[in-house]
């Protein structure tokens, strides 16, 4: 439980809190200005992915998917859902510090364009959808609340279906529209391989929760997997990002920082985006 952990850190009973398995934003919010405590930020690939089942109506229409993505007011979402402690995303699942990341222009919040796309897709009178979210992950709940409000002018009526994480993870692969927390991955193509491709039989891989299949994307991903040179791989990833941004199945508003939260007597601790607490050089001052 967070409260006794933070109390123990304040009192000096413990020296650090291991946040490897949690986002950490509540700890940061409470402790970042506390005397005697250091909060050490690390940019990471941890993100909450809004994903749409591309094999189910209405999400099988790329115009509907694009319309909902345009309803993300990204700076507002990062500020209100995660206290501004992260980097803005642009609907492609590769974080800005990845080796072969390709920088893109951040899509603007544009409910007018989103409304026009909905009309083109056959929903001129708007669209009512249900978004399933884990109720005990505060940043996901806040994201969903903000999106619901900001998507209304575009014609989206988003009903929020909340449930405990334990229940969400029982059905996360099945819900038509959901928000799933994804952890950091070290290799720039790793999540693409885990979540946006197919197996040798052409069936979506186990964690392809959106069931998105794009032959051009898969072909380029196979090419990227076989390219060792970072700059050459970046050229391919630029194309992968373009495809995912234009016709992909996910909205990614931001990538969240991780933290080590420690007493100020802890020295030489290095931030790590993986959030694995491996600190062979760490030591304690008097």
């Amino acid at each position: 439980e967070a409260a006794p952990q933070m109390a123990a850190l304040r009192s000096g009973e413990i020296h650090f809190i291991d946040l490897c398995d949690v986002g950490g934003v509540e700890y940061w919010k409470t402790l970042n200005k506390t005397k005697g405590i250091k909060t050490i930020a690390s940019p990471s690939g941890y993100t909450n992915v809004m994903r749409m089942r591309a094999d189910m109506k209405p999400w099988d229409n790329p115009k509907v998917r694009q319309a909902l993505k345009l309803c993300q007011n990204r700076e507002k979402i990062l500020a209100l859902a995660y206290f501004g402690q992260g980097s803005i995303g642009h609907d492609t699942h590769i974080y800005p510090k990845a080796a072969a990341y390709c920088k893109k222009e951040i899509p603007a919040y544009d409910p007018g364009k989103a409304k026009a796309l909905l009309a083109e897709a056959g929903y001129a009178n708007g669209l009512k959808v249900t978004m399933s979210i884990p109720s005990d992950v505060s940043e996901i709940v806040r994201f969903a609340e903000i999106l619901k409000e900001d998507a209304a002018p575009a014609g989206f009526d988003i009903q929020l279906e909340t449930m405990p994480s334990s229940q969400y993870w029982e059905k996360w692969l099945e819900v038509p529209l959901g928000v799933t927390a994804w952890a950091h991955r070290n290799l720039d193509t790793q999540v693409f391989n885990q979540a946006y491709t197919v197996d040798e039989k052409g069936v979506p891989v186990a964690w392809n929760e959106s069931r998105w299949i794009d032959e051009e994307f898969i072909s380029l991903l196979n090419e990227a997997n076989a390219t060792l040179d970072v700059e050459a791989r970046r050229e391919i990833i630029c194309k992968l990002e373009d495809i995912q941004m234009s016709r992909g199945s996910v909205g990614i508003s931001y990538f969240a920082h991780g933290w080590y939260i420690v007493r100020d007597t802890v020295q030489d601790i290095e931030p790590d985006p993986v959030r694995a607490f491996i600190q062979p050089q760490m030591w304690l001052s008097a």
Side-chain angles (χ1 to χ4, degrees):
E1 295 181 6
Q5 289 178 15
M6 290 189 281
L9 191 67
R10 285 193 188 97
S11 69
E13 183 180 351
I14 62 175
H15 294 92
F16 66 83
I17 299 175
D18 184 349
L19 296 173
C20 292
D21 293 329
V22 295
V25 68
E26 295 298 329
Y27 293 81
W28 175 87
K29 178 184 175 184
T30 303
L31 297 172
N32 79 93
K33 295 182 180 179
T34 301
K35 185 178 180 180
I37 293 175
K38 296 185 291 190
T39 56
I40 303 169
S42 175
S44 81
Y46 177 93
T47 186
N48 296 309
V49 176
M50 175 185 73
R51 97 300 179 280
M52 300 155 272
R53 279 282 296 268
D55 61 339
M56 299 175 66
K57 290 185 178 300
W59 309 114
D60 59 342
N61 190 323
K63 290 183 178 179
V64 177
R65 299 197 297 267
Q66 189 68 10
L68 187 59
K69 289 190 281 186
L70 286 168
C71 294
Q72 297 171 101
N73 190 333
R74 299 162 200 271
E75 290 80 6
K76 176 181 177 182
I77 289 168
L78 177 58
L80 298 182
Y82 214 71
F83 305 98
Q85 299 300 301
S87 53
I88 298 295
H90 47 74
D91 303 329
T92 185
H93 205 156
I94 177 170
Y95 92 116
K97 295 291 184 180
Y101 171 79
C102 180
K103 188 175 181 180
K104 298 288 182 181
E105 184 177 350
I106 301 299
Y109 169 61
D110 194 340
K113 184 177 180 181
K115 189 171 186 176
L117 283 170
L118 275 186
E120 291 175 19
Y123 301 100
N125 295 322
L127 183 60
K128 185 175 182 178
V129 298
T130 297
M131 173 178 278
S132 303
I133 57 172
S135 58
D136 47 355
V137 184
S138 61
E139 60 263 31
I140 290 181
V141 173
R142 193 71 185 104
F143 163 81
E145 292 171 342
I146 296 165
L147 184 71
K148 174 182 173 67
E149 178 182 339
D150 289 345
F156 282 102
D157 179 4
I158 301 177
Q159 305 297 307
L160 300 182
E161 179 190 28
T162 61
M163 64 195 77
S165 286
S166 57
Q167 185 179 344
Y168 182 81
W169 287 110
E170 289 177 358
K171 57 192 294 186
W172 70 291
L173 292 169
E174 306 306 323
V175 298
L177 174 64
V179 183
T180 304
W182 277 80
H184 174 89
R185 301 295 194 275
N186 280 326
L187 186 63
D188 41 39
T189 57
Q190 193 170 350
V191 179
F192 288 160
N193 287 305
Q194 291 178 322
Y196 307 103
T197 188
V198 296
D199 62 20
E200 63 277 0
K201 297 179 180 179
V203 177
V205 291
W207 284 3
N208 187 342
E209 56 178 326
S210 64
R211 311 298 201 280
W212 183 57
I213 301 175
D214 187 291
E215 292 183 2
E216 183 184 5
F217 185 92
I218 292 169
S219 177
L220 285 167
L221 177 57
N222 290 334
E223 186 180 342
N225 287 331
T227 304
L228 296 180
D229 181 79
V230 173
E231 291 307 317
R233 191 164 72 250
R234 192 189 317 279
E235 291 182 11
I236 303 169
I237 285 181
C238 281
K239 299 175 184 177
L240 289 171
E241 291 184 22
D242 284 338
I243 293 171
Q244 200 168 36
M245 289 174 70
S246 63
R247 57 181 187 260
S249 55
V250 299
I252 295 180
S253 298
Y254 67 90
F255 291 94
H257 290 344
W259 293 276
Y260 288 144
I261 299 182
V262 302
R263 297 286 304 174
D264 58 11
T265 53
V266 177
Q267 306 297 325
D268 288 346
I269 183 170
E270 294 293 333
D272 182 353
V274 181
R275 297 179 181 173
F277 201 92
I278 303 171
Q279 298 289 334
Q281 76 286 357
M282 183 179 70
W283 57 285
L284 296 177
S285 61

